[in-house]
Amino acid sequence: MMSQIDVIKESIQNEQLLRESSTNNVLKGEYLIKDSHPDVYQILGIEAKATITNKETLADKIMIEGQINYSVMYLSEDESKVTSINSVCLSEKFADYLDLNNEEHKVICEVECVIEHIQASIMNERKIAIDGIRTTRWQLYKIEEFEFVKEIDGRDDIQVKRKSEEINQIKCEKDIELMGKSMIKVTMDKPEIDEILKCSMNLHKKEVKLGDGKIYFGCYCKIEVLCKGKDENDVFLLQDDIYLSKEEEAIGVNSEMMTSNQIDIVNADSIITADDLGENRVINVEFMIKGSIKVISKDVIDVIKDAYSPSKSIELTKKKYEIGLVGGIVTSELIIKDNLYPKDENDKIGCIICATGCPVITDKTVEEDKVKVEGVIKVSVLYKTTDDDCRIDMCNGEIPFTSVIDLKGTKPDMVALCKVHLENLDATIEANTIGVRATLSVLVKVCYKVNKEWIVDIVEGEEEKECKKASVTIYVVNIGDTLWDLAKKYNTTMDSLIEINELEGAESLTQGKKIIIPGKCKF
């Protein structure tokens, strides 16, 4: 009595991009200046950063909550018409919702908020108005589990046709949380600190390395503190650049896999403290970075595409799957140079105090073997003039950039998910213009979908196959014939056909060739 078929199945999890979308939200508000601050005479500029504090999946929508922190630089004027620089920090909370379609259940959402446009204006000496646009960018994924037949045991005569298939799997997703500290001291050639006008922090040189069963994350945090001097209208910039790192255990991870990360500063605080002489010359900065690292494998799996038995009928159950694949994740560095002009063309720039920038993607196109990303860097430069008053002013401008990233295998019908990050920004005086040199990091992740038909079950039929009575059959090969198809049709095996016809292999059939097919089952 022949043994029964033993089917061995395997299941894999696959992440598939469902859709990406963006929503624009108008920022519009009126804010009172605190009593501790002087009246507003002239607004120099405003910076804004949106931080997501919470994300939840509800019944039919995804909700995010967050906070926008504004830093407004302005000039005040005393009774003698002498101006001095001041700043005010403001904040507001927000909530966004993304409606889910009926078929979108058990989804994963990656989201980021970008300030596309921001400006501040004076309503009166104690009130300012802020207008802008905040864009929320959503990436919606679903995780599906696919089952397929991996092996067939139990019968010696089962003939199996295999094929290698590429598949991406989420190997792991690790949460990263790091605390950073810095103590910056003011040298004696500068005055004591009266107040901190603003404290900016930027993560740069992010690095994710994979080893066998390990994930290593490292980055630098550049800290820039703009200070106002005590007892005089002097403004100076203090800087520090500190390194943070962390290593995590990650079972199944190796160096050949792909990674993406969403890690940013979520909380920061800076305070002035006294040095050993009792002077306010020390700034202590504490901050937290938080986010996650996703590791994606690029596996090649062996699947059964067809199977039969020369002696027994078997039934194959096939199922079509839509598989999400990642064409690649590439990070490219881009250096941009341009010039800005002072706000008043008659001003003579004496020195540059500080410069900040914010890159925004405006367009992206997927082409053959490459992705093109376009955008602008919104740059603000605080400077002093060389006139008698040594005035402080700020100029703003937009510097365009274009990055073409080569990624072999990319097709125009694929989807590119793009992010841009400012790594570094330098500003220098060039013939009474401000020369800006910016280094950008552009990340591109290309996604696409393919349809695959896999065997999900095999059962043995009740009927034995009848062997042919004729001794042999002479068959003339037609276009498209394969040795597998002929062996299956005539209830024999490929090995039998190769042996009898002295063929070199399964690919040696040519149109018009006559081959001998045995009349009895051979296995």
Side-chain angles (χ1 to χ4, degrees):
M1 183 177 178
M2 291 189 178
S3 58
Q4 297 294 313
I5 293 177
D6 184 13
V7 176
I8 301 170
K9 298 181 181 181
E10 186 175 314
S11 62
I12 56 173
Q13 283 192 336
N14 176 248
E15 181 184 78
Q16 183 183 133
L17 177 67
L18 289 173
R19 59 186 168 107
E20 63 168 337
S21 62
S22 62
T23 52
N24 290 331
N25 301 270
V26 175
L27 302 175
K28 196 172 185 67
E30 299 175 359
Y31 298 87
L32 290 172
I33 303 298
K34 294 179 181 178
D35 293 340
S36 57
H37 287 62
D39 291 350
V40 179
Y41 168 70
Q42 177 190 337
I43 291 179
L44 295 174
I46 179 173
E47 294 178 17
K49 181 181 179 181
T51 303
I52 297 171
T53 56
N54 184 41
K55 181 175 67 175
E56 289 184 34
T57 301
L58 307 177
D60 58 350
K61 62 187 66 179
I62 293 173
M63 177 194 74
I64 63 165
E65 295 175 306
Q67 181 170 300
I68 305 175
N69 293 317
Y70 302 104
S71 177
V72 183
M73 305 283 292
Y74 71 94
L75 295 177
S76 60
E77 188 177 70
D78 62 17
E79 295 177 355
S80 303
K81 303 297 182 182
V82 176
T83 60
S84 62
I85 188 169
N86 301 272
S87 72
V88 60
C89 295
L90 307 166
S91 66
E92 68 173 74
K93 294 183 178 181
F94 67 86
D96 282 352
Y97 299 88
L98 177 68
D99 291 327
L100 299 176
N101 301 326
N102 292 332
E103 69 276 7
E104 293 175 345
H105 54 278
K106 294 183 180 179
V107 295
I108 296 174
C109 185
E110 294 182 4
V111 61
E112 65 171 343
C113 286
V114 179
I115 306 298
E116 297 275 358
H117 170 73
I118 193 74
Q119 67 178 23
S121 57
I122 300 174
M123 299 188 71
N124 59 52
E125 67 274 6
R126 302 304 302 169
K127 185 187 286 188
I128 61 174
I130 294 178
D131 297 278
I133 296 174
R134 175 179 58 83
T135 298
T136 303
R137 294 173 182 159
W138 314 79
Q139 296 170 12
L140 206 60
Y141 297 87
K142 68 175 178 179
I143 302 293
E144 286 204 330
E145 190 166 334
F146 303 111
E147 188 179 62
F148 61 96
V149 174
K150 178 74 172 178
E151 297 287 350
I152 306 171
D153 288 338
R155 290 184 64 102
D156 295 335
D157 68 336
I158 292 286
Q159 305 298 301
V160 175
K161 182 181 181 181
R162 297 181 179 276
K163 185 180 179 182
S164 294
E165 297 279 13
E166 185 179 292
I167 193 79
N168 295 126
Q169 295 191 75
I170 305 299
K171 280 298 179 182
C172 76
E173 190 165 4
K174 285 286 183 180
D175 292 329
I176 298 292
E177 186 174 306
L178 284 167
M179 289 292 297
K181 292 183 179 182
S182 173
M183 186 174 71
I184 309 173
K185 296 182 179 180
V186 180
T187 54
M188 297 304 292
D189 60 324
K190 293 182 174 64
E192 282 189 72
I193 304 169
D194 180 42
E195 66 174 298
I196 295 172
L197 295 174
K198 71 169 183 175
C199 181
S200 302
M201 281 173 279
N202 181 44
L203 299 183
H204 64 113
K205 295 181 182 176
K206 289 183 186 178
E207 181 183 46
V208 179
K209 288 183 179 179
L210 302 179
D212 290 335
K214 292 185 182 297
I215 296 176
Y216 174 85
F217 171 77
C219 71
Y220 284 89
C221 181
K222 187 173 184 179
I223 303 168
E224 293 188 331
V225 185
L226 187 63
C227 300
K228 185 177 179 180
K230 197 171 186 180
D231 301 327
E232 54 184 292
N233 192 24
D234 197 7
V235 178
F236 52 90
L237 187 70
L238 303 176
Q239 294 179 315
D240 195 9
D241 202 9
I242 62 174
Y243 188 72
L244 302 102
S245 64
K246 193 170 189 178
E247 187 174 275
E248 291 275 358
E249 297 288 333
I251 298 172
V253 165
N254 63 58
S255 59
E256 302 299 317
M257 297 177 181
M258 299 178 288
T259 66
S260 63
N261 69 81
Q262 276 193 308
I263 298 174
D264 206 353
I265 299 166
V266 295
N267 194 22
D269 191 27
S270 57
I271 58 170
I272 304 168
T273 58
D275 63 7
D276 295 339
L277 300 175
E279 295 185 343
N280 290 335
R281 292 186 173 275
V282 179
I283 295 178
N284 288 303
V285 180
E286 292 188 5
F287 60 94
M288 177 184 287
I289 66 173
K290 204 171 182 179
S292 63
I293 297 173
K294 185 183 292 184
V295 182
I296 304 169
S297 67
K298 203 169 187 177
D299 301 325
V300 176
I301 59 174
D302 210 22
V303 299
I304 297 174
K305 299 301 290 183
D306 199 6
Y308 71 93
S309 167
S311 61
K312 187 79 173 180
S313 63
I314 60 174
E315 296 177 3
L316 309 180
T317 302
K318 297 183 178 183
K319 188 174 180 180
K320 288 185 178 180
Y321 293 120
E322 187 177 61
I323 310 290
L325 292 175
V326 178
I329 302 174
V330 179
T331 301
S332 177
E333 192 173 272
L334 180 67
I335 296 176
I336 306 296
K337 295 180 181 179
D338 209 337
N339 291 76
L340 300 180
Y341 294 88
K343 185 181 291 185
D344 188 335
E345 60 181 14
N346 296 319
D347 282 346
K348 298 296 182 184
I349 302 173
C351 69
I352 292 171
I353 301 170
C354 66
T356 57
C358 177
V360 177
I361 294 173
T362 56
D363 194 20
K364 61 180 181 179
T365 53
V366 183
E367 302 174 7
E368 200 79 23
D369 293 330
K370 60 186 175 183
V371 177
K372 184 178 179 182
V373 181
E374 296 177 277
V376 295
I377 311 172
K378 299 174 184 288
V379 179
S380 300
V381 181
L382 190 69
Y383 61 91
K384 280 185 179 180
T385 63
T386 57
D387 54 25
D388 294 338
D389 295 334
C390 232
R391 291 183 300 105
I392 294 176
D393 213 334
M394 180 181 282
C395 68
N396 302 282
E398 293 186 352
I399 299 175
F401 68 85
T402 300
S403 178
V404 179
I405 297 175
D406 295 324
L407 189 55
K408 193 172 182 181
T410 301
K411 304 293 182 185
D413 59 347
M414 296 180 180
V415 178
L417 308 175
C418 306
K419 292 183 180 180
V420 63
H421 180 73
L422 181 68
E423 292 286 317
N424 189 50
L425 182 71
D426 292 316
T428 55
I429 302 172
E430 296 178 1
N432 209 47
T433 68
I434 298 169
V436 178
R437 185 181 188 272
T439 304
L440 300 179
S441 173
V442 183
L443 182 140
V444 171
K445 176 182 176 182
V446 173
C447 302
Y448 63 102
K449 299 174 186 177
V450 294
N451 291 307
K452 299 289 184 182
E453 187 177 65
W454 289 351
I455 296 173
V456 295
D457 200 11
I458 299 175
V459 295
E460 187 173 351
E462 296 181 0
E463 298 292 329
E464 295 281 346
K465 287 185 178 179
E466 291 186 11
C467 293
K468 290 178 64 65
K469 302 301 181 183
S471 57
V472 294
T473 297
I474 306 298
Y475 183 83
V476 180
V477 177
N478 294 315
I479 296 175
D481 282 340
T482 66
L483 211 58
W484 171 269
D485 293 335
L486 295 178
K488 183 178 180 180
K489 179 179 179 181
Y490 289 99
N491 295 328
T492 184
T493 67
M494 289 176 57
D495 289 342
S496 295
L497 294 181
I498 290 172
E499 180 183 348
I500 291 172
N501 292 279
E502 298 181 349
L503 300 175
E504 293 182 2
E507 307 300 324
S508 58
L509 289 184
T510 56
Q511 183 185 1
K513 183 181 179 68
K514 294 180 181 179
I515 62 170
I516 298 170
I517 298 176
K520 292 184 179 181
C521 300
K522 292 186 69 177
F523 46 86

